[in-house]
Amino acid sequence: MNAPIEAAQSRNDGTERRPRIFCDNLLGGRIALITGGSSGIGLGIARLYAELGATVVILGRREERLASAIDQLSGEMPDAELVALAVDVRNHLAIRDSVNGVIQRFGRLDILINNAAGNFHCPTEDLSENAWRTVIDIDLHGTFNCCQAALAGLKASAHGGRIMNITVPQALSGWPGSAHAASAKAGVLSLTRSLAVEWGGYGIRVNNVLPGPIAGTEGLKRLYEDRGTAVHEMKRMALGSFGLVDDIANACAFLASPGGDFVTGCDFMVDGGRWLKRGWV
Ligand code: NAP
Ligand code: COA
């Protein structure tokens, strides 16, 4: 029944868009920092945010990937205000200084998206201590580093600061073969809930966004396609298809908008029903 959908999805290179659902300039005047904004889901969020009028700062390790993302976005939107920051989220002091530079330059930070992450398939019995530590360091420590560095800027937001942490549904279910990533993201889920309460008094909303498998991304490629498990994974999707980058970007735009004013500490599942169906196949 799903064969045509599977064929269509396997051709998707990550560039397919959803129809535009938000009004013009929805995020006008916002300064948004997106970690891991040079590719995949992070780049998709950066694109939609820029389309909706935000000034977008993308952060990643590799300058050439950041430059290529900025070229791509400015080619599509010549008037967009875009900034690149080459820094590793694991480096607490470098993150503090870089994020502080953004806050000094713009006088505030309105939105932080913690999207940078590392993952690969490896059974736990084969995982080296450094492999485990590396993923925990990027996903969990990196998210902590960015949240703490952003706090002063988020407090100064006239819109009520927003943090969206990109996690994964397997943080709730466990993830055989990716215990390192599931554990790190479970830590992020909990950090989100703690900060939603600790920083609610500053008007800062802190939420998790939990994507299912997203077509055309590195995550889908290395965790499913390269291992030949993409078709099986597709069968776990209640809606019969993988998501698009825009599905996650749309969720992040809603949460950053006035629509998200009364939403904090939530797990926003955007997974095509994989979470519910996975145990039935
Ligand atoms: P991706 O294309 O591989 O993007 C990862 C981004 O993070 C890149 O910009 C990368 O740039 C940056 N990055 C990696 N390590 C970093 C570090 N230590 N410091 C700073 N930046 C770093 O990934 P994706 O597939 O779009 O996934 C994005 C997010 O969605 C992740 O949080 C992932 O767990 C989550 N997610 C993805 C899927 C999916 O289907 N793809 C499903 C569920 C959840 P550099 O390499 O240049 O640093
Ligand atoms: N299987 C098992 N172990 C692996 C591995 C794999 N596929 N890939 C890396 N490792 C191990 C390395 O061997 C090393 O351990 P060791 O020192 O005991 O040999 C450890 O992980 C760190 O690897 P290294 O390459 O030095 O780390 P890095 O900091 O340069 O890169 C990664 C971090 C490994 C997470 C890398 O895959 C990455 O940069 N990922 C970002 C993109 C991504 O993961 N996207 C998908 C998001 S869903």
Side-chain angles (χ1 to χ4, degrees):
M1 189 178 80
N2 286 334
I5 297 173
E6 285 177 20
Q9 290 289 328
S10 66
R11 281 197 305 273
N12 189 313
D13 61 359
T15 56
E16 186 183 337
R17 303 290 307 268
R18 296 286 186 209
R20 175 84 167 261
I21 57 171
F22 296 109
C23 62
D24 287 347
N25 212 34
L26 181 76
L27 300 180
R30 267 66 156 198
I31 313 297
L33 171 61
I34 303 166
T35 74
S38 59
S39 63
I41 291 172
L43 178 57
I45 299 169
R47 174 177 286 108
L48 183 62
Y49 273 25
E51 287 172 357
L52 296 175
T55 294
V56 173
V57 183
I58 57 172
L59 184 153
R61 288 166 300 178
R62 286 173 285 178
E63 285 190 20
E64 67 282 4
R65 295 188 87 208
L66 290 163
S68 148
I70 295 277
D71 280 354
Q72 214 177 311
L73 295 180
S74 50
E76 295 166 22
M77 294 169 276
D79 295 333
E81 198 167 354
L82 305 164
V83 178
L85 281 183
V87 53
D88 192 317
V89 294
R90 291 171 282 192
N91 187 332
H92 182 79
L93 292 181
I95 284 290
R96 188 193 64 188
D97 292 347
S98 305
V99 175
N100 201 34
V102 174
I103 297 168
Q104 297 297 319
R105 174 169 170 182
F106 295 105
R108 69 189 184 286
L109 183 66
D110 299 289
I111 304 162
L112 168 66
I113 311 269
N114 286 300
N115 165 79
N119 197 0
F120 46 78
H121 176 86
C122 184
T124 305
E125 65 186 85
D126 300 327
L127 200 61
S128 73
E129 193 263 349
N130 189 39
W132 167 270
R133 184 182 298 278
T134 296
V135 172
I136 303 290
D137 218 7
I138 300 172
D139 295 21
L140 181 55
H141 298 163
T143 300
F144 162 77
N145 289 339
C146 293
C147 288
Q148 204 179 54
L151 177 60
L154 294 166
K155 280 184 184 175
S157 171
H159 306 281
R162 308 290 156 114
I163 299 176
M164 271 70 84
N165 292 326
I166 309 300
T167 60
V168 71
Q170 290 92 326
L172 298 166
S173 64
W175 198 350
S178 276
H180 43 317
S183 303
K185 296 285 195 179
V188 175
L189 290 183
S190 186
L191 176 64
T192 298
R193 293 173 191 137
S194 302
L195 295 186
V197 176
E198 282 193 34
W199 295 355
Y202 303 131
I204 300 171
R205 286 79 166 167
V206 192
N207 291 292
N208 294 308
V209 175
L210 293 77
I214 301 299
T217 61
E218 176 64 22
L220 189 77
K221 181 179 175 306
R222 63 168 68 189
L223 295 167
Y224 305 112
E225 289 172 345
D226 289 353
R227 301 175 49 239
T229 60
V231 169
H232 181 68
E233 186 62 14
M234 180 79 77
K235 292 192 176 113
R236 292 174 160 154
M237 308 298 298
L239 292 178
S241 64
F242 295 142
L244 302 182
V245 163
D246 260 355
D247 294 321
I248 309 309
N250 282 339
C252 290
F254 167 75
L255 288 170
S257 78
D261 278 359
F262 199 53
V263 184
T264 199
C266 93
D267 291 347
F268 195 157
M269 192 77 76
V270 189
D271 78 331
R274 181 195 182 280
W275 159 247
L276 288 169
K277 193 181 174 189
R278 74 190 194 286
W280 300 100
V281 293

